[in-house]
Amino acid sequence: MTNPRVFRQLVAVAWAASITVTMQSWVGRATIYRPELTARVEEAHEAILHNRVPDGRRWSTYGLNSTNIRVGAVFLAEGVRRVTGVSIPTAYRIVDTGALLATLLLLLAFLGRLAPPPYAILGATAFATMLPLTYQLFYFHPWDRLSLVGWIVLLMLLERGRFGLFAATLPVAMLMKFGVVLMRALFF
């Protein structure tokens, strides 16, 4: 006889993994992971990693306004590249895939604490239906899904009253995308 809780957790992981694989393979391959974007991704990565715009131009020339301060995802991808030996675009895809999977699982867990299970599943599925839109805007936005993980983790910490951990996690989340600083308003 199987444990119903373990079964529900396995179903949740299977649900999140299927959505992640579908989005990354079908939608991502046709948009932000296209092979012709490899050179642009590598150039943007190097520019942000070393805080130097290629050819002495401006950040806006490359569509990277204010991105040179969003270093968390870039350093993480560089670390993945160094540890695994994969290319920079592959490192970003690994990071993005992990963050998307974590986002879906965390969202399901968070909503499950706030609403009955059917509503939590419905809310997380509604979120998942919007995911294809997140692949359309730009060729280089590696911090968006990591930032979303940060938002959900911070919301979970606030909901549980873990204020010390919230204060320690906020600066880490801000390394991904500084907009999460607005989360402080919910703290107060």
Side-chain angles (χ1 to χ4, degrees):
M1 188 101 164
T2 61
N3 183 342
R5 184 173 183 220
V6 171
F7 179 74
R8 283 193 307 270
Q9 290 172 343
L10 288 174
V11 169
V13 169
W15 171 84
S18 67
I19 290 172
T20 299
V21 168
T22 300
M23 291 297 124
Q24 295 293 80
S25 296
W26 292 353
V27 181
R29 188 177 299 142
T31 56
I32 61 177
Y33 303 127
R34 293 189 322 254
E36 60 267 19
L37 297 175
T38 297
R40 292 177 70 186
V41 169
E42 289 172 347
E43 187 176 47
H45 172 82
E46 290 298 319
I48 295 169
L49 184 66
H50 301 293
N51 199 23
R52 281 192 301 262
V53 183
D55 306 326
R57 295 185 184 174
R58 309 185 97 172
W59 289 104
S60 59
T61 305
Y62 292 93
L64 297 171
N65 292 343
S66 75
T67 59
N68 60 323
I69 57 176
R70 297 176 185 174
V71 296
V74 174
F75 288 157
L76 182 59
E78 181 66 19
V80 169
R81 183 195 65 79
R82 289 182 184 185
V83 169
T84 63
V86 298
S87 68
I88 287 298
T90 301
Y92 279 114
R93 192 169 184 170
I94 290 168
V95 169
D96 195 45
T97 301
L100 180 56
L101 180 63
T103 295
L104 292 169
L105 290 172
L106 287 169
L107 182 63
L108 198 54
F110 180 60
L111 292 176
R113 289 182 56 87
L114 302 175
Y119 291 114
I121 293 167
L122 186 62
T125 302
F127 170 81
T129 63
M130 297 293 122
L131 283 175
L133 300 175
T134 67
Y135 289 84
Q136 303 297 327
L137 298 177
F138 197 45
Y139 72 95
F140 188 75
H141 50 87
W143 36 76
D144 285 349
R145 288 193 229 295
L146 284 170
S147 176
L148 191 53
V149 169
W151 276 95
I152 296 171
V153 166
L154 290 167
L155 284 171
M156 291 175 90
L157 291 172
L158 281 178
E159 188 265 334
R160 292 180 178 168
R162 306 287 307 266
F163 303 121
L165 198 51
F166 173 88
T169 306
L170 183 61
V172 175
M174 287 174 58
L175 284 175
M176 300 307 162
K177 195 170 180 182
F178 51 85
V180 77
V181 74
L182 298 173
M183 184 65 76
R184 293 183 313 168
L186 292 177
F187 176 80
F188 295 112

